[in-house]
Amino acid sequence: MDRKEFITTSAILAGATILPSNSVFAENINNNGIDKLTDENGNFIHQPLPYNTDYLEPFMDAETLHLHHTFHHGGAVKGANKDIEMIKKVMNSEDLTLADHWTKKLSFHLSSHILHSIFWTNLANKKSQPTGDLLKRIEKDFGSTNKMQGMIAKISKSIEGSGWGILAYQPYSDNLVVLQCENHHKLTLWGAVPLLVIDVWEHAYYLKYKNKRGDFVDALMNIINWDNVAQRYDIALKLK
Ligand code: MN3
């Protein structure tokens, strides 16, 4: 079995819908809400990608996307389930020595699961622009779409080590904010709801872009799914 067949077979075994490469979203996203992270028992689940692995070519190559989704995102889901189990064990014992260890692990793994789940849906294979209420909000808070995109690209490129650039809505202040997140969980702002996330861990780009993180971020700026960002903004507004 070659790699492509393996990927296809694995996807079928995982219950994925094999979509034509021009489809934007798998039906499961529409049927289950925008981000389905858990099953009915509260266990974290790893949803299939909402498109084929070659959908984001040439901006993001199929092999990187496959490895990233399967092993990096998939590993975080497994980790988060284990962390919860271990936290329960610690709580059921008399010994709290490992409480610190497993709560830190959960913060890392679950934040990774959440951010990756958002990331896949934030991308499309064609250029678009923010419109409607989201555009009005961007113009109010940043001046223009260009200024906002320049800001998120700059802070994404500048993250020290591994992390994410994030455009979020902050219900407490009723503002859009741009945040730098280190790893998956450091330097956040409490209550901020991520609308657009840019993964700048090396695993997101190294096969194709090598050490050129800046080129990867610039490429991603061409394929932001602004409809998805707008959908997330509408949902976040209800938290005000
Ligand atoms: Mn990643």
Side-chain angles (χ1 to χ4, degrees), residues 68 113 124 142 147 168 234 239-240:
H68 191 174
H113 183 25
F142 296 97
K147 279 194 172 171
D234 288 345
L239 300 170
K240 194 167 62 165

Side-chain angles (χ1 to χ4, degrees), residues 4-234:
K4 198 167 177 188
E5 282 170 346
F6 173 75
I7 293 169
T8 308
T9 311
S10 306
I12 290 167
L13 290 173
T17 310
I18 301 300
L19 296 165
S21 41
N22 63 351
S23 291
V24 177
F25 291 110
E27 268 186 26
N28 59 3
I29 285 193
N30 293 327
N31 293 344
N32 294 325
I34 196 157
D35 304 310
K36 186 168 169 60
L37 302 187
T38 56
D39 64 17
E40 56 282 1
N41 300 316
N43 298 312
F44 299 113
I45 53 168
H46 190 208
Q47 292 267 68
L49 280 168
Y51 31 67
N52 285 346
T53 50
D54 63 357
Y55 177 69
L56 300 173
E57 293 268 14
F59 302 95
M60 192 184 291
D61 63 288
E63 188 177 10
T64 298
L65 185 52
H66 165 67
L67 296 171
H68 191 174
H69 176 259
T70 308
F71 298 105
H72 294 280
H73 183 183
V77 177
K78 281 187 196 145
N81 280 321
K82 181 175 179 185
D83 302 336
I84 292 275
E85 195 185 309
M86 296 311 288
I87 287 168
K88 282 183 191 155
K89 267 192 190 164
V90 167
M91 291 183 74
N92 286 332
S93 76
E94 298 295 309
D95 181 4
L96 296 181
T97 310
L98 290 175
D100 175 59
H101 173 81
W102 291 112
T103 49
K104 281 188 176 126
K105 286 275 185 202
L106 179 66
S107 178
F108 179 85
H109 287 134
L110 182 50
S111 299
S112 171
H113 183 25
I114 292 167
L115 291 174
H116 280 109
S117 298
I118 297 169
F119 183 53
W120 311 129
T121 65
N122 274 165
L123 301 172
N125 67 352
K126 61 178 191 311
K127 201 169 175 67
S128 66
Q129 287 288 326
T131 57
D133 289 346
L134 177 62
L135 175 61
K136 282 185 203 146
R137 172 63 71 145
I138 287 169
E139 287 174 341
K140 178 175 161 283
D141 290 351
F142 296 97
S144 69
T145 298
N146 273 350
K147 279 194 172 171
M148 181 274 297
Q149 268 194 268
M151 181 72 176
I152 194 163
K154 170 67 181 166
I155 62 107
S156 299
K157 292 171 189 177
S158 312
I159 284 158
E160 287 181 18
S162 301
W164 300 74
I166 298 178
L167 173 70
Y169 173 70
Q170 227 293 354
Y172 294 128
S173 57
D174 187 27
N175 270 319
L176 293 178
V177 288
V178 170
L179 298 168
Q180 275 193 333
C181 167
E182 290 178 4
N183 294 349
H184 301 300
H185 57 315
K186 296 175 183 169
L187 304 183
T188 185
L189 178 65
W190 295 116
V193 182
L195 309 176
L196 169 64
V197 299
I198 306 293
D199 190 339
V200 292
W201 282 61
E202 283 181 353
H203 65 231
Y205 60 85
Y206 216 82
L207 288 184
K208 181 178 169 79
Y209 294 90
K210 310 292 187 235
N211 58 322
K212 298 199 166 102
R213 178 194 275 183
D215 291 356
F216 169 67
V217 171
D218 289 339
L220 282 198
M221 288 298 135
N222 288 306
I223 53 166
I224 303 300
N225 183 345
W226 287 106
D227 286 346
N228 181 260
V229 179
Q231 195 182 355
R232 292 179 180 282
Y233 173 62
D234 288 345

